[in-house]
Amino acid sequence: MSATEKVLYTARTHTTGGRDGAARSSDGRLDIKLTSPGTAGTGTNPEQLLAAGWSACFIGALGLAASKLKVTLPPDRAVDAEVDLATADGGYFLRARLNVSLPGVDREVAKELVEAAHQTCPYSKATRGNIAVEINVV
């Protein structure tokens, strides 16, 4: 790991009750109920939060890759993220799929952009080698 040159942002949250609790950010912009996946509650869950954060970050990384390659991204670009909570051998684990849509971008160029984004996206870096990740250009 390289030394930190500059911290750009620090997210601060306070969570109570675990998967059946609540989470609130220090600035009040995030204030959510949490509910375990597959239960009747009205809250979100950590897997949905990971999927939303990762897909948003990945779109930002696509923008960086596009600017370096001098490619214009379509305004309707999108990432559909799927994060699985699974079990094996008595334990829990995550796996994920990112389905990237870049309408109107040549498929080979889209693949190049996606690979570059996967190398620079902080969420991709954090999960690399830790969970199974599949990235698809759709």
Side-chain angles (χ1 to χ4, degrees):
M1 182 180 288
S2 60
T4 301
E5 291 180 21
K6 179 180 178 183
V7 174
L8 301 175
Y9 175 75
T10 300
R12 290 180 179 84
T13 62
H14 178 76
T15 303
T16 57
R19 287 180 171 273
D20 292 302
R24 180 174 167 78
S25 62
S26 60
D27 63 5
R29 291 182 180 187
L30 177 74
D31 191 358
I32 57 171
K33 292 179 183 177
L34 299 168
T35 304
S36 292
T39 62
T42 60
T44 188
N45 60 65
E47 292 73 27
Q48 289 174 332
L49 294 169
L50 174 59
W54 194 352
S55 57
C57 185
F58 201 87
I59 290 172
L62 282 168
L64 179 63
S67 68
K68 287 182 180 178
L69 295 174
K70 302 201 183 332
V71 173
T72 301
L73 290 178
D76 54 347
R77 61 193 171 270
V79 174
D80 293 321
E82 301 171 353
V83 175
D84 300 326
L85 173 63
T87 62
D89 301 323
Y92 295 95
F93 68 94
L94 298 174
R95 65 181 181 197
R97 287 164 306 289
L98 300 181
N99 300 305
V100 182
S101 175
L102 298 171
V105 176
D106 176 80
R107 187 160 184 81
E108 291 307 311
V109 173
K111 286 181 181 179
E112 188 176 351
L113 290 169
V114 164
E115 181 54 36
H118 189 49
Q119 295 306 311
T120 60
C121 173
Y123 281 74
S124 292
K125 288 179 178 183
T127 57
R128 188 170 291 118
N130 296 308
I131 69 171
V133 176
E134 180 183 318
I135 301 184
N136 305 300
V137 174
V138 295

